[in-house]
Amino acid sequence: MAMAFKMATTGMWVTEECKNSFMAMKWKKVHRFIVFKIDEAAKVLTVDKVGGPTEGYEDLKAALPVDDCRYAVFDFDFVTVDKCRKSKIFFIAWAPTASRIRAKILYATSKDGLRRALDGIHYEVQATDPTEMGFDVIKDRVK
């Protein structure tokens, strides 16, 4: 059986797959983004979708459902004013207005546990509609 890490506040388990996918994104750059989903019946957090290294922010936005909550991490590459290449990892808590109240509560109470399990996140964005997580929001955070 795969190892999992329990988020004490909600009783949710973060699967080893979640941590391994995040580490592969962080260190090996094999993913541009990862979308995580809570399986309410099994009480586990799993990887829902991954974006390859050539996919971009618009692909991540397209991977998020319009009527259900998700978590996502996005590896944002950029060049600083002094021409240094940098990379920052964003954590996105997606809770669209059309999602169920129960899902919003479950995702809100599970967020901190996942963030602790994924070491190396630089910024957090909380969004209820696409405008709150526009690419301009991401770019403004790294300035």
Side-chain angles (χ1 to χ4, degrees), residues 77-86:
D77 294 328
F78 61 100
V79 178
T80 64
V81 290
D82 46 350
K83 307 290 186 235
C84 291
R85 293 182 59 80
K86 297 269 185 176

Side-chain angles (χ1 to χ4, degrees), residues 69-126:
C69 302
R70 294 290 186 275
Y71 302 117
V73 287
F74 178 73
D75 190 1
F76 179 61
D77 294 328
F78 61 100
V79 178
T80 64
V81 290
D82 46 350
K83 307 290 186 235
C84 291
R85 293 182 59 80
K86 297 269 185 176
S87 177
K88 297 290 181 186
I89 297 176
F90 280 78
F91 179 88
I92 299 165
W94 174 245
T97 308
S99 59
R100 297 173 300 124
I101 296 293
R102 177 173 165 71
K104 290 178 188 178
I105 292 169
L106 185 58
Y107 276 78
T109 56
S110 301
K111 179 182 67 153
D112 289 339
L114 176 62
R115 283 221 40 198
R116 278 193 297 277
L118 305 179
D119 185 41
I121 291 169
H122 300 101
Y123 300 101
E124 180 176 326
V125 174
Q126 295 186 31

